Amino acid sequence: GQNIDQPTEMTATEGAIVQINCTYQTSGFNGLFWYQQHAGEAPTFLSYNVLDGLEEKGRFSSFLSRSKGYSYLLLKELQMKDSASYLCAVRDRLKRFGAGTRLTVKP
Amino acid sequence: GAVVSQHPSRVICKSGTSVKIECRSLDFQATTMFWYRQFPKQSLMLMATSNEGSKATYEQGVEKDKFLINHASLTLSTLTVTSAHPEDSSFYICSARKTGGTKNIQYFGAGTRLSVL
């Protein structure tokens, strides 16, 4: 089986930094993905981690610890347009998604 | 880039009718496509994995006779919701996996919002 847990909602201020955590339990592991999804739209790919450590891509960074079953997505210099749901997905045989974290960025 | 086109984006139909949703990979070949369903404020739920030239693999609890999947070519998969009922109203999203490379990233279509009256 596979359980993926992430906070339901978070709020942050424009210009700030926010960290969205994801913990998972899986019988096998073949990569962890983060997606951004605006309301009513399809998810868009943000990052992929398969080895431990930090992957940085512009304002977004993603971290993975396989031994702890833990990842986080770090968003820097928050902008209003970053208000969206952020989905953590883990792949073993198939990719399965967490319920998503709804981030609200306030002025 | 890799583009996945999903059509239609919105459909409203009467109860009992069938609805077909198309998913096309526009600039790459996809031997594997995925169909998801998403209820409001909930995560994506994988319905089935569609493999070109073979039968789809359905997730537990998904009725294969209700949700017919055809993946006849490397760029097209279709999902047909047969005899739709109001409880089938949902947001359906397809994705295509671009094989090769190190990431095997999935690219998502824009989704189809189905409303059954």
Side-chain angles (χ1 to χ4, degrees):
Chain A
Q2 189 182 82
N3 295 321
I4 302 173
D5 295 308
Q6 49 182 130
T8 304
E9 294 191 24
M10 298 183 71
T11 302
T13 305
E14 189 176 16
I17 299 173
V18 70
Q19 178 174 314
I20 303 174
N21 296 324
C22 172
T23 58
Y24 64 90
Q25 297 162 353
T26 181
S27 54
F29 180 81
N30 192 22
L32 186 142
F33 301 76
W34 284 96
Y35 288 84
Q36 180 192 61
Q37 186 179 26
H38 286 97
E41 299 180 13
T44 56
F45 171 78
L46 290 179
S47 68
Y48 169 76
N49 295 70
V50 67
L51 300 176
D52 290 349
L54 188 68
E55 292 279 342
E56 297 185 82
K57 188 185 294 185
R59 294 191 297 117
F60 294 2
S61 304
S62 58
F63 172 83
L64 174 67
S65 170
R66 289 171 296 171
S67 62
K68 296 181 179 179
Y70 168 68
S71 171
Y72 67 72
L73 179 69
L74 192 72
L75 292 78
K76 303 176 186 176
E77 302 170 14
L78 281 173
Q79 301 175 10
M80 299 297 291
K81 66 178 182 179
D82 296 330
S83 292
S85 286
Y86 291 86
L87 308 177
C88 171
V90 176
R91 186 172 67 200
D92 44 25
R93 180 180 64 85
L94 290 171
K95 184 186 292 182
R96 300 192 188 276
F97 288 79
T101 299
R102 189 179 310 280
L103 173 66
T104 301
V105 180
K106 296 185 174 179
Chain B
V3 178
V4 174
S5 172
Q6 186 173 340
H7 177 80
S9 58
R10 176 87 192 239
V11 59
I12 301 172
C13 68
K14 293 182 179 180
S15 184
T17 60
S18 295
V19 175
K20 179 185 282 188
I21 304 170
E22 291 188 350
C23 181
R24 294 180 184 273
S25 57
L26 296 186
D27 53 357
F28 65 97
Q29 293 183 334
T31 53
T32 304
M33 292 186 176
F34 304 88
W35 287 96
Y36 295 87
R37 183 174 181 175
Q38 187 175 34
F39 292 103
K41 297 184 179 181
Q42 295 187 25
S43 185
L44 300 171
M45 183 191 75
L46 180 65
M47 299 175 65
T49 302
S50 169
N51 297 296
E52 186 269 336
S54 64
K55 292 183 179 180
T57 303
Y58 289 81
E59 293 301 296
Q60 191 173 12
V62 178
E63 303 171 57
K64 59 182 66 177
D65 294 332
K66 174 75 173 177
F67 300 99
L68 299 178
I69 291 174
N70 183 282
H71 193 159
S73 77
L74 288 172
T75 59
L76 174 64
S77 176
T78 61
L79 168 68
T80 301
V81 183
T82 61
S83 186
H85 288 93
E87 57 266 29
D88 298 324
S89 298
S90 188
F91 192 51
Y92 294 86
I93 306 175
C94 74
S95 72
R97 186 160 68 195
K98 188 177 183 180
T99 54
T102 59
K103 297 186 178 181
N104 279 334
I105 296 170
Q106 287 178 243
Y107 297 88
F108 285 84
T112 297
R113 187 164 302 282
L114 171 63
S115 299
V116 185
L117 305 178

